[in-house]
Amino acid sequence: MRKRYRLHLRGHEQLDRWLVSYADYMTLIFALFVVLYSVAMVDKEKFRAVIEGVTQAFEARPLHGEGLLEREGPAIVPPGSAPDKIISAPSQVQAIALAPISGVPMTQQGEPLPTLDAELRKAMAPLLEAGLVDIQQDKEWLNIALDSALLFSSGSAFMGPNASPLLNSLSSILKPVDNYVRIRGYTDNQQIHNEIFSSNWALSAARAEAVLTTLIGQGIAPQRLAFEAYGEFSPFASNETEGGRAKNRQVVVAISRLRWVAPAAPTAPTVQVAQVEQTAPKADAQAIRVIALPGGGIRITTRQD
């Protein structure tokens, strides 16, 4: 009888031992969820205060507001020294990017743009009054917008009769100076496709090149010149109207404020002879006359008779 009682107690003990393992397992699960909950709970106000404090420190501004960083302290970057250099760096990079040609000194200033502006307005006064030429000046460029109808026939890159006197007057002002010049061609969005030009881009490039070739033939140094083609992709006005399309058909002669510096030629030993240097007088710009033709067209000439 006593033996049976002991066996009964032993079996009872084995049946209750699973509660210990279950309690341990539940304790671990509870601890895990406590840790996860504590990690998920972030004080957003304190976190925002830390971010604002670090940002203000790098921007050299006094701290304000409530949070972890409440007091004013010394800036990481002393004001008045490094920030000025950091701020001025982008403007210097932009000035270099605006340089017309790389590989030459970019600090050389050419003929002042206001001076050239005054000369061009005086020489092209009739065309400005008629709205056939537009002159605009900004910090870097002096832009002379020429209506393509003054220079070319429709869909063509061959010079018309009015192109020669117009470009002669323009070259008489550009030749005595050394400023860089860019010739930029533009068209409207009316598609062109013929045996000569496959696109408006090709047409704008051919017209700009024709003006460049004419200026070179009139004695302007080719090192100062380059042409750019924009086609229909940089319109000045809406292409929905005929007036807007006419405005978009332009050739722009852009004069830079910087000048081209000719490379120094190798010097050879020569016998010096006393001479009296005489400076050649600067050629006056040829005045342009606009003559109305009986059929409704115009004729541009520089002859005054």
Side-chain angles (χ1 to χ4, degrees):
M1 187 71 180
R2 183 175 298 176
K3 186 176 181 179
R4 284 184 182 178
Y5 180 74
R6 290 177 179 175
L7 291 175
H8 177 73
L9 292 176
R10 186 178 302 173
H12 182 72
E13 290 177 357
Q14 292 177 354
L15 292 177
D16 294 340
R17 289 188 62 182
W18 67 272
L19 293 174
V20 178
S21 300
Y22 179 76
D24 294 340
Y25 175 75
M26 294 302 295
T27 303
L28 293 175
I29 291 296
F30 177 75
L32 174 63
F33 279 99
V34 169
V35 172
L36 294 177
Y37 179 78
S38 63
V39 171
M41 294 299 294
V42 178
D43 193 336
K44 297 181 180 179
E45 296 298 330
K46 292 183 179 181
F47 181 75
R48 188 180 298 109
V50 171
I51 296 300
E52 183 180 358
V54 173
T55 303
Q56 291 174 347
F58 277 101
E59 294 181 355
R61 291 185 298 162
L63 301 177
H64 59 82
E66 298 180 356
L68 296 179
L69 304 174
E70 298 181 355
R71 298 178 301 172
E72 296 184 1
I76 295 178
V77 181
S81 57
D84 295 339
K85 297 180 181 179
I86 296 175
I87 294 174
S88 62
S91 61
Q92 296 174 358
V93 173
Q94 184 179 8
I96 295 175
L98 291 174
I101 295 180
S102 59
V104 296
M106 290 300 139
T107 58
Q108 302 287 345
Q109 298 291 329
E111 186 75 11
L113 296 184
T115 302
L116 296 175
D117 189 358
E119 295 180 7
L120 288 167
R121 290 184 181 277
K122 180 180 179 181
M124 299 184 177
L127 295 176
L128 289 170
E129 294 176 359
L132 300 174
V133 174
D134 184 29
I135 300 177
Q136 299 292 335
Q137 178 185 341
D138 56 28
K139 185 178 179 181
E140 299 292 333
W141 299 93
L142 177 62
N143 300 307
I144 304 101
L146 308 175
D147 192 336
S148 293
L150 291 175
L151 306 175
F152 309 99
S153 301
S154 177
S156 173
F158 293 100
M159 293 286 185
N162 291 327
S164 180
L166 176 59
L167 295 180
N168 286 340
S169 179
L170 181 61
S171 63
S172 65
I173 297 175
L174 296 179
K175 188 175 180 180
V177 300
D178 292 326
N179 298 57
Y180 288 107
V181 179
R182 292 290 174 270
I183 294 91
R184 300 165 178 165
Y186 302 87
T187 65
D188 57 22
N189 66 344
Q190 300 298 306
Q191 297 301 320
I192 181 174
H193 185 76
N194 54 32
E195 65 276 6
I196 302 178
F197 306 110
S198 59
S199 65
N200 285 327
W201 219 334
L203 175 61
S204 64
R207 287 179 170 178
E209 184 183 10
V211 174
L212 178 141
T213 303
T214 302
L215 294 180
I216 293 177
Q218 293 174 350
I220 297 179
Q223 294 87 345
R224 299 170 47 197
L225 303 175
F227 71 87
E228 304 168 358
Y230 293 89
E232 62 192 85
F233 304 105
S234 296
F236 297 93
S238 173
N239 283 301
E240 299 298 327
T241 62
E242 180 58 34
R245 290 191 293 270
K247 185 174 180 61
N248 292 332
R249 296 189 293 267
Q250 292 187 11
V251 175
V252 176
V253 179
I255 306 172
S256 172
R257 67 177 179 84
L258 303 176
R259 70 184 181 94
W260 170 69
V261 180
T267 58
T270 55
V271 178
Q272 295 183 356
V273 180
Q275 295 181 355
V276 178
E277 296 184 358
Q278 296 181 355
T279 58
K282 185 176 179 181
D284 294 333
Q286 303 181 30
I288 293 178
R289 295 177 57 200
V290 179
I291 302 175
L293 300 179
I298 63 171
R299 179 184 177 187
I300 301 175
T301 180
T302 56
R303 297 179 60 180
Q304 303 300 321
D305 51 355

